[in-house]
Amino acid sequence: MGERAVTHELKTGGDRGYLRIATEEAFATEEQMDAILRLVREGKADKGTKSLWGFYGTSSSERTTFIRERLLDLGPLRIQAMDETGIDKALLALTSPGVQSIHDVEEAKGIARRANDHLKAACEKYPDRFHGMIAICPQDAEWSAEELKRGKEELGFHGVQVNSHTHGHYLDEEQFDPILRACADLDLPLYIHPQGPPDDMIGGMVDAGLDGAIFGFAAETSYHAMRMLTTGVFDRYPSLQMVLGHGCEGLPFWLYRLNYMHQAGIRSRRYPRLKPQLHNLQYYLRNNVLATNSGLPFAPAIKLLIEVMGEDRVMYAMDYPYEYVPDEVRWMDDLPIGDEQKKKFFQTNAERWFKLGSA
Ligand code: MN
């Protein structure tokens, strides 16, 4: 954090002994933005979407103009930005909230499917630079399971991004089981990415200016992840990998307390929903959870993630275009970790978990 001298040039091609693969990079489609902004204009968006896209979609500030333009670009602008920051490959996903805020399920499915086709075309144009994550429409779980199959087998994509809650509902609920089963069967990592908290959680966060990426995103997404971790999901699907960005949304920092209180709650039978599981939370964090450092180029946090989760489970992400600061890449190059760990962090963990194939 703070000012530091520019230490080295940023180049693609592995001049530092590793390629840089950025694993949580966002794009949008025109029709997705139009549909979400229509909800905002018509007063039909939930409070989190209204706060997020009412701002990013309409503000004329330099930051929001940059982000809107860059989200819609899957061409030369993005490649140039990657070249200028030494990013060899980007794993791209339809930006938050995907189609999950949309009420008309048929419309939502169409937008998700066409976004997948649009991304596929970009990946074909830049096969060495772009890789795809599948967009789904959790409002229709059976359709989503089919789209996951198409995304993997026909489009050659590498995982799925779900933008946390869907109208206040969470993936551990039975209605979404076809999605979890498809991810496990197809061996697709399930990336749970934030969006604004649902109306029954957001409370005073908007008034406080804290509903977005500053705080509310992590509070809501870590809650989502804890629901997954405490309801037997990973006993039902022991091979399923759940990916969390932004430093695993803080969970590794809290792990001792989460685990202690979880075990205490099970023993005392305080909550009917919390039943004994095959393993403790530390086990699931080290066997079923992957982390990226999107938006968190912060050495103390990354070292903690590696220590708690293991060096094979922590990956680099930039969070372009929301975060685009070349110096942050330099700080990550200078992380005080071993050379082998750094190569895992920037390159080989992403290749392994997302099956990107080595270059
Ligand atoms: Mn992101």
Side-chain angles (χ1 to χ4, degrees):
M1 298 192 284
E3 299 298 314
R4 299 180 212 179
V6 170
T7 51
H8 56 279
E9 244 190 292
L10 297 172
K11 287 186 226 161
T12 59
D15 66 321
R16 297 180 70 85
Y18 46 82
L19 300 177
R20 297 186 196 86
I21 303 176
T23 54
E24 193 205 288
E25 315 308 301
F27 79 100
T29 63
E30 297 272 7
E31 64 170 347
Q32 176 208 14
M33 279 202 175
D34 289 350
I36 291 170
L37 288 175
R38 191 171 353 108
L39 292 179
V40 172
R41 272 199 313 276
E42 292 172 358
K44 293 177 186 159
D46 62 18
K47 291 173 187 166
T49 301
K50 182 182 167 204
S51 173
L52 187 69
W53 281 103
F55 174 62
Y56 282 113
T58 63
S59 160
S60 58
S61 74
E62 194 182 332
R63 170 172 166 80
T64 50
T65 306
F66 176 89
I67 288 169
R68 271 199 308 278
E69 178 186 56
R70 298 306 179 111
L71 280 172
L72 291 168
D73 162 66
L74 285 175
L77 268 181
R78 188 177 293 258
I79 295 292
Q80 187 190 340
M82 289 167 65
D83 287 344
E84 286 174 1
T85 44
I87 302 299
D88 294 274
K89 298 166 193 248
L91 191 57
L92 297 160
L94 188 65
T95 199
S96 187
V99 300
Q100 290 164 245
S101 298
I102 297 170
H103 301 283
D104 180 333
V105 177
E106 291 309 311
E107 180 192 18
K109 288 190 279 190
I111 292 172
R113 187 184 167 95
R114 286 186 293 276
N116 288 330
D117 291 338
H118 179 64
L119 179 57
K120 171 64 175 170
C123 292
E124 280 181 345
K125 194 164 176 195
Y126 300 101
D128 300 331
R129 308 304 295 278
F130 292 169
H131 295 288
M133 295 284 279
I134 305 161
I136 58 171
C137 173
Q139 298 93 312
D140 185 338
E142 293 289 350
W143 179 88
S144 293
E146 285 301 310
E147 189 64 2
L148 288 171
K149 194 168 157 58
R150 185 179 84 95
K152 165 125 186 185
E153 294 175 357
E154 291 177 35
L155 306 181
F157 285 1
H158 301 271
V160 53
Q161 177 167 304
V162 173
N163 296 287
S164 203
H165 72 91
T166 300
H167 299 302
H169 291 277
Y170 290 89
L171 288 174
D172 58 284
E173 296 173 35
E174 202 179 337
Q175 57 180 309
F176 299 119
D177 193 60
I179 295 171
L180 303 187
R181 188 181 311 123
C183 287
D185 287 351
L186 295 163
D187 202 8
L188 287 167
L190 168 61
Y191 206 128
I192 302 188
H193 184 281
Q195 66 152 309
D199 284 354
D200 61 7
M201 180 181 189
I202 203 163
M205 284 190 201
V206 177
D207 284 342
L210 297 175
D211 56 303
I214 184 173
F215 179 76
F217 278 15
E220 195 270 346
T221 306
S222 59
Y223 167 62
H224 194 163
M226 282 301 291
R227 291 181 59 118
M228 299 281 282
L229 288 163
T230 56
T231 50
V233 165
F234 300 102
D235 292 344
R236 292 209 313 279
Y237 300 111
S239 67
L240 180 63
Q241 299 296 323
M242 172 172 71
V243 194
L244 299 170
H246 317 103
C248 211
E249 306 297 353
L251 292 178
F253 181 85
W254 296 100
L255 181 60
Y256 185 90
R257 186 167 171 81
L258 297 171
N259 196 53
Y260 186 96
M261 289 302 169
H262 181 227
Q263 295 300 324
I266 290 170
R267 279 195 305 274
S268 63
R269 302 201 174 91
R270 180 172 171 185
Y271 301 100
R273 223 174 106 86
L274 295 187
K275 296 189 175 69
Q277 300 194 120
L278 292 176
H279 306 285
N280 66 18
L281 295 184
Q282 180 175 25
Y283 176 93
Y284 298 114
L285 240 68
R286 295 181 71 92
N287 288 273
N288 299 96
V289 182
L290 301 166
T292 80
N293 80 314
S294 50
L296 193 66
F298 185 43
I302 295 164
K303 285 166 66 182
L304 179 125
L305 294 181
I306 289 173
E307 184 172 345
V308 173
M309 301 176 71
E311 64 185 38
D312 294 334
R313 298 194 157 265
V314 185
M315 295 176 274
Y316 174 71
M318 178 180 275
D319 217 354
Y320 177 90
Y322 295 101
E323 201 140 330
Y324 181 59
V325 181
D327 267 345
E328 292 182 352
V329 181
R330 293 189 181 92
W331 304 342
M332 296 298 91
D333 283 336
D334 294 338
L335 273 178
I337 58 176
D339 290 345
E340 266 308 301
Q341 284 185 335
K342 209 173 288 178
K343 183 163 182 159
K344 286 183 176 188
F345 172 70
F346 268 113
Q347 177 183 348
T348 51
N349 287 344
E351 289 173 342
R352 171 186 171 188
W353 294 111
F354 293 109
K355 298 187 177 62
L356 303 182
S358 46

